[in-house]
C-alpha cells in the first residue's frame, strides 16, 4: 500500500551501526557497519571503540541505506532510533544523528526500545504480529519471556534471567574454549560436529519449585568451565565439538521448554523468538519441533534480522507512525537502562515510569573531545 509509512531506523546500542528503511511491513534496506573486528582482540565490546566507530560509520551507512532502498530522505515519514537499552556513549551517537536528520528534514522523531524492536522486526518477515504476542527475547544482554498486546505500548515481562543472559553464556563459554568473540556463531558451528548428549550439563531453574519463566545460565557456564579445567588438568584433550553441542543443548532445552510452557499457561498459540541468540540453528530447530508438538505457531525472523540491525528499529518506528503514537520531543535522551516495559520514549520532559539517570548530550562533549 502506498500510504504505509516510510521510516528510517538507526541502531547503535552496541557494536553494529545499523540503518534500515521500511515501508510498513516491507523491508527496503538493511545497511550494517560492524566494529566487531576491532573488539575481537579484547574478547568483548569496548564501549569507547564502539562509540567512535559509530561516529565514523553513521553518515556513510545512512547514505548507503537510502541508496539501497531507492528513496530520498525527503520522502521519509519519520526517523526512528534506539534510545536504549545499550551502551550509553554508543546510543548517544545514534540519538544525536537521528535528531540532526529529523530536525534538518522536518520529520518526526521516534525514540524506541531496542528490545521491543527485536520483537517488532518479525513483522518484516511474517506480517502483522498477533495480539497478544508471546516473545522469547534472547540476546547478549537480555533473556526474557515477554507478553505484548501492542508492541508500541504494552510489553509485560513474565520472567527474565536472574544472572547471565543467554548470549553472554555463549560468549563466556567460547572464551573458555579459546574460540574468540562473539561466541554464539562459532559455538553454533562447532556444535554441528558434536554430540549434544555427550556431557550432561545442568539445566538451571527447572526444578518444580523454581520460578517457571525465569532463567539462570551462570551455573551452567561455571559447570562447563570446571569440566574443561578438569580435562586440561588431567592432560587430556578437550573435545571442543562435544562441549559446544552439550552446552548449547542445555541452553536451548531450557529456553524452549519455558517458552512453550508460558504459551500454554497464558493460552497464546504463537511464539516469537528474537534477539541475537535466535540466530542459533539448534534453538530454531528445537523450537520448531516443540512448538509443533504443542500446536503453537513459531515465528522467528531470518538470522540477519535476529542480530542487531537498523531494520528492526525502522519496523517499530513504522508501527508507531501507523498507530499514531506521538513523536518524541527534541530533548529525547539515550537511556542505557531503559526498561523493556517502555517500547516508546517520548522525551526527557515527559514523566517516566522509572528513575534511571538519563544520558544527555552535554556528556557527549566529554566523550568525543
Ligand atoms: O541481539 P544481539 O545482536 O545484540 C544484543 O542486543 O545483545 O545479540 C548478540 C548475542 C551475542 O551474545 C552472540 O554471541 C549471540 O547473540 N549470537 C548467537 C548466535 N549469533 C549471535 N548465539 C548463539 N548462536 C548464534 N548463532
Ligand atoms: Zn540486540
Amino acid at each position: 500500500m502506498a500510504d504505509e509509512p516510510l521510516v528510517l531506523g538507526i541502531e547503535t546500542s552496541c557494536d553494529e551501526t545499523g540503518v534500515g528503511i521500511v515501508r510498513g511491513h516491507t523491508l527496503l534496506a538493511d545497511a550494517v557497519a560492524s566494529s566487531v573486528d576491532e573488539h575481537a582482540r579484547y574478547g568483548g565490546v569496548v564501549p569507547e571503540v564502539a562509540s567512535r566507530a559509530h561516529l565514523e560509520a553513521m553518515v556513510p551507512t545512512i547514505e548507503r541505506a537510502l541508496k539501497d532502498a531507492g528513496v530520498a530522505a525527503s520522502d521519509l515519514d519519520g526517523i526512528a532510533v534506539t534510545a536504549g537499552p545499550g551502551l550509553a556513549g554508543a546510543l548517544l551517537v545514534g540519538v544525536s544523528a537521528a535528531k540532526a536528520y529529523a530536525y534538518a528534514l522536518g520529520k518526526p522523531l521516534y525514540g524506541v526500545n531496542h528490545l521491543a524492536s527485536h520483537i517488532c522486526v518479525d513483522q518484516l518477515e511474517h506480517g502483522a504480529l498477533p495480539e497478544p504476542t508471546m516473545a522469547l527475547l534472547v540476546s547478549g544482554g537480555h533473556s526474557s519471556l515477554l507478553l505484548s498486546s501492542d508492541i508500541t505500548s504494552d510489553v509485560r515481562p513474565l520472567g527474565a534471567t536472574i544472572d547471565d543472559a543467554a548470549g553472554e553464556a555463549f560468549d563466556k563459554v567460547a572464551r573458555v574454549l579459546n574460540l574468540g568473540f562473539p561466541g554464539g556463531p562459532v559455538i553454533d558451528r562447532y556444535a554441528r560436529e558434536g554430540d549434544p548428549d555427550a556431557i550432561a550439563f545442568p539445566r538451571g531453574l527447572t526444578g518444580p519449585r523454581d520460578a517457571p519463566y525465569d532463567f539462570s545460565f551462570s551455573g551452567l557456564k561455571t559447570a562447563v568451565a570446571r569440566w574443561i579445567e578438569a580435562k586440561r588438568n588431567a592432560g587430556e584433550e578437550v573435545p571442543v565439538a562435544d562441549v559446544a553441542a552439550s552446552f548449547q543443548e542445555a541452553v536451548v532445552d531450557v529456553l524452549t521448554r519455558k517458552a512453550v510452557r508460558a504459551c500454554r499457561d497464558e493460552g497464546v498459540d504463537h511464539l516469537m523468538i528474537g534477539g541475537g541468540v535466535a540466530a542459533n540453528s539448534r534453538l530454531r530447530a528445537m523450537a520448531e519441533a516443540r512448538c509443533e508438538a504443542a500446536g503453537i505457531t513459531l515465528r522467528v525472523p531470518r538470522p540477519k534480522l535476529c542480530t542487531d540491525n537498523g531494520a528492526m528499529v525502522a519496523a517499530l518506528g513504522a508501527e508507531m507512525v501507523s498507530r499514531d503514537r506521538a513523536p518524541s520531543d527534541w530533548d529525547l535522551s539515550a537511556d542505557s537502562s531503559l526498561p523493556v516495559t517502555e517500547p516508546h520514549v517520548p522525551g526527557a520532559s515527559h514523566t517516566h515510569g522509572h528513575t534511571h539517570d538519563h544520558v544527555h548530550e552535554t556528556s557527549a562533549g566529554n566523550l568525543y573531545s
Side-chain angles (χ1 to χ4, degrees):
M1 274 192 308
D3 57 355
E4 284 187 298
L6 181 68
V7 174
L8 179 143
I10 298 175
E11 154 61 36
T12 62
S13 70
C14 195
D15 58 342
E16 328 265 18
T17 311
V19 180
I21 299 176
V22 307
R23 191 185 293 282
H25 296 167
T26 307
L27 176 65
L28 301 182
D30 181 17
V32 180
S34 178
S35 61
V36 69
D37 295 343
E38 294 174 53
H39 306 290
R41 64 193 170 111
Y42 302 105
V45 175
V46 185
E48 289 77 8
V49 174
S51 303
R52 194 161 290 278
H54 286 309
L55 211 48
E56 286 167 8
M58 184 54 65
V59 172
T61 312
I62 289 177
E63 284 173 358
R64 184 149 57 89
L66 288 166
K67 189 162 168 280
D68 290 351
V71 299
S74 55
D75 295 336
L76 295 168
D77 295 308
I79 294 187
V81 62
T82 301
L87 302 171
L91 288 166
L92 265 176
V93 178
V95 168
S96 306
K99 279 190 197 176
Y101 274 85
Y103 192 78
L105 294 163
K107 307 290 182 187
L109 171 75
Y110 296 88
V112 305
N113 189 307
H114 179 83
L115 307 172
S117 301
H118 268 305
I119 300 172
C120 197
V121 71
D122 195 50
Q123 298 203 135
L124 305 177
E125 193 87 285
H126 299 111
L129 284 169
E131 294 179 341
T133 284
M134 181 69 72
L136 170 65
L137 178 83
V138 274
S139 69
H142 296 265
S143 301
S144 314
L145 274 164
L146 305 166
L147 190 58
S148 168
S149 67
D150 172 345
I151 196 60
T152 66
S153 66
D154 171 48
V155 179
R156 181 159 68 90
L158 300 181
T161 180
I162 60 166
D163 41 55
D164 292 351
E168 199 178 345
F170 272 91
D171 295 336
K172 287 178 176 169
V173 165
R175 192 180 310 171
V176 178
L177 288 169
N178 300 318
L179 297 180
F181 174 85
V186 60
I187 288 199
D188 194 344
R189 257 194 327 274
Y190 270 96
R192 281 175 213 178
E193 314 298 323
D195 175 5
D197 300 320
I199 311 151
F201 286 130
R203 270 67 168 158
L205 291 186
T206 51
R209 299 227 176 114
D210 289 330
Y213 310 131
D214 281 345
F215 302 103
S216 168
F217 298 109
S218 166
L220 169 62
K221 170 198 71 189
T222 306
V224 175
R226 288 223 177 101
W227 195 93
I228 294 169
E229 199 187 339
K231 278 273 165 200
R232 284 182 183 146
N233 287 344
E236 292 174 38
E237 202 177 315
V238 176
V240 175
D242 283 349
V243 173
S246 300
F247 157 74
Q248 175 176 276
E249 197 72 5
V251 174
V252 167
D253 177 23
V254 176
L255 290 175
T256 53
R257 209 191 299 180
K258 294 199 174 211
V260 167
R261 170 158 180 195
C263 288
R264 278 211 186 111
D265 291 354
E266 296 286 333
V268 176
D269 63 359
H270 279 75
L271 173 67
M272 187 277 157
I273 308 185
V277 181
N280 184 268
S281 62
R282 182 64 185 137
L283 174 59
R284 300 169 80 94
M286 195 186 282
E288 188 68 56
R290 289 189 171 171
C291 282
E292 199 186 327
I296 296 165
T297 306
L298 179 67
R299 296 170 57 121
V300 198
R302 76 195 82 148
K304 189 161 184 262
L305 293 179
C306 290
T307 49
D308 289 350
N309 64 82
M312 67 190 212
V313 179
L316 184 50
E319 199 57 37
M320 298 284 173
V321 177
S322 294
R323 296 195 186 231
D324 281 330
R325 300 276 170 250
S328 302
D329 293 336
W330 294 115
D331 62 0
L332 173 72
S333 56
D335 182 350
S336 58
S337 49
L338 183 68
V340 69
T341 47
E342 293 180 27
H344 173 235
V345 185
S349 56
H350 289 70
T351 316
H352 275 253
H354 71 118
T355 53
H356 294 291
D357 287 342
H358 288 258
V359 185
H360 291 277
E361 269 140 311
T362 45
S363 61
N366 302 332
L367 278 173
Y368 303 114
S369 58

